[in-house]
Amino acid sequence: MKVQLIALLTGLLFSSSALALTLQQAKSQGLLGEQTNGYLGLVVNNEQAKKVMNDVNAKRKLHYQKIAKKNKLSTDDVAMLAAKKAIAAAKKDHYIQTISGKWQQK
């Protein structure tokens, strides 16, 4: 019984990981896009995409803070510079935010 339970739990763990949405999948599916503030934004309301967005944005914020501290800049300034690079590097058909706050495909 314990072996079956462990096998079932292991299977569930791996199957949920396999179904987890990646950042690139979310962007390719038009669920997430690059915002003008240096963070990802939710293009389409989707719970999996929102989780990816929150995870990536938290990591980006920490990274921006480290760079800002090292270079004696504000975190917002670093984020704005990162936004310009991320928008420029976005793939064709991925969503980017315009200055007016609207989403458009690149």
Side-chain angles (χ1 to χ4, degrees):
M1 181 69 177
K2 286 184 183 181
V3 173
Q4 290 174 334
L5 182 59
I6 291 171
L8 176 64
L9 292 174
T10 304
L12 288 173
L13 175 66
F14 287 117
S15 65
S16 65
S17 298
L19 296 176
L21 190 65
T22 67
L23 173 59
Q24 290 308 313
Q25 289 170 333
K27 285 183 170 184
S28 294
Q29 293 174 23
L31 302 173
L32 295 177
E34 292 292 344
Q35 297 183 115
T36 58
N37 65 0
Y39 296 95
L40 291 172
L42 201 58
V43 178
V44 175
N45 193 8
N46 176 289
E47 284 303 313
Q48 284 186 336
K50 189 174 186 177
K51 182 182 180 330
V52 171
M53 179 190 74
N54 289 336
D55 290 345
V56 171
N57 283 346
K59 290 175 185 172
R60 284 185 180 186
K61 185 174 184 178
L62 288 174
H63 188 64
Y64 297 161
Q65 288 171 336
K66 287 179 186 177
I67 292 171
K69 185 176 181 180
K70 182 178 178 182
N71 293 287
K72 297 179 183 169
L73 298 169
S74 75
T75 302
D76 288 342
D77 287 343
V78 174
M80 296 301 277
L81 291 170
K84 289 178 184 177
K85 289 183 178 184
I87 289 171
K91 293 181 181 178
K92 183 181 176 189
D93 296 331
H94 282 196
Y95 280 86
I96 58 172
Q97 189 181 50
T98 65
I99 294 172
S100 64
K102 295 185 180 188
W103 291 110
Q104 75 175 26
Q105 283 183 298
K106 186 169 178 186

